[in-house]
Amino acid sequence: MVKAPRGYRHRTRKLLRKHIRERGAVPPLSLIMHEYKPGDKVYIIINPSVHKAMPHRRYHGKVGTVVGKRGKAYIVQLRVGSKVKTLFVRPEHLRPVPPEALGKQPTGGEEQQKA
């Protein structure tokens, strides 16, 4: 028997699959054009149709912090156990974390509480 290959996309048959109506679609421009600043929290959601700067499948669904930018990609740091990992990820694979998910009040919330 030949040993099974263990490539970069090993065991991603279900994880890196698009729905049938999303196949072949270009990622929305609102995601590509979104500017992230250092300190922003982002979700790492892999877009399987974009191969450049694709993170490993173990980071899919994780929350990281943008540290900087290198070319078109962003430098994202995240904790995995006790280690801090640094990833270079293109914006097609990133989603901004909404402020309410972080437990922060949206702007203008102070006036509503005082009234």
Side-chain angles (χ1 to χ4, degrees):
M1 292 292 291
V2 178
K3 200 172 183 183
R6 301 276 175 119
Y8 196 71
R9 292 178 67 149
H10 177 64
R11 293 183 175 173
T12 60
R13 185 174 193 160
K14 298 264 171 73
L15 182 72
L16 299 182
R17 179 187 290 179
K18 287 187 164 188
H19 294 291
I20 191 68
R21 283 170 183 72
E22 293 177 355
R23 292 191 53 153
V26 177
L29 283 175
S30 60
L31 292 177
I32 298 172
M33 301 297 288
H34 194 281
E35 287 293 325
Y36 299 101
K37 295 179 277 310
D40 286 355
K41 295 280 189 185
V42 290
Y43 293 124
I44 299 172
I45 306 294
I46 299 172
N47 186 347
S49 64
V50 180
H51 298 157
K52 287 190 171 183
M54 179 188 287
H56 193 267
R57 66 182 179 89
R58 77 170 59 96
Y59 303 115
H60 183 79
K62 301 282 191 270
V63 178
T65 306
V66 174
V67 178
K69 195 167 182 184
R70 180 180 284 188
K72 293 180 182 177
Y74 287 95
I75 304 170
V76 179
Q77 284 189 341
L78 62 120
R79 293 187 64 84
V80 179
S82 61
K83 297 180 181 179
V84 176
K85 297 284 188 171
T86 303
L87 306 176
F88 300 101
V89 185
R90 279 200 166 194
E92 291 91 345
H93 307 294
L94 298 176
R95 304 277 186 280
V97 175
E100 54 269 8
L102 296 173
K104 295 180 183 176
Q105 288 283 352
T107 57
E110 295 84 18
E111 292 86 15
Q112 292 174 358
Q113 290 178 353
K114 291 179 184 177

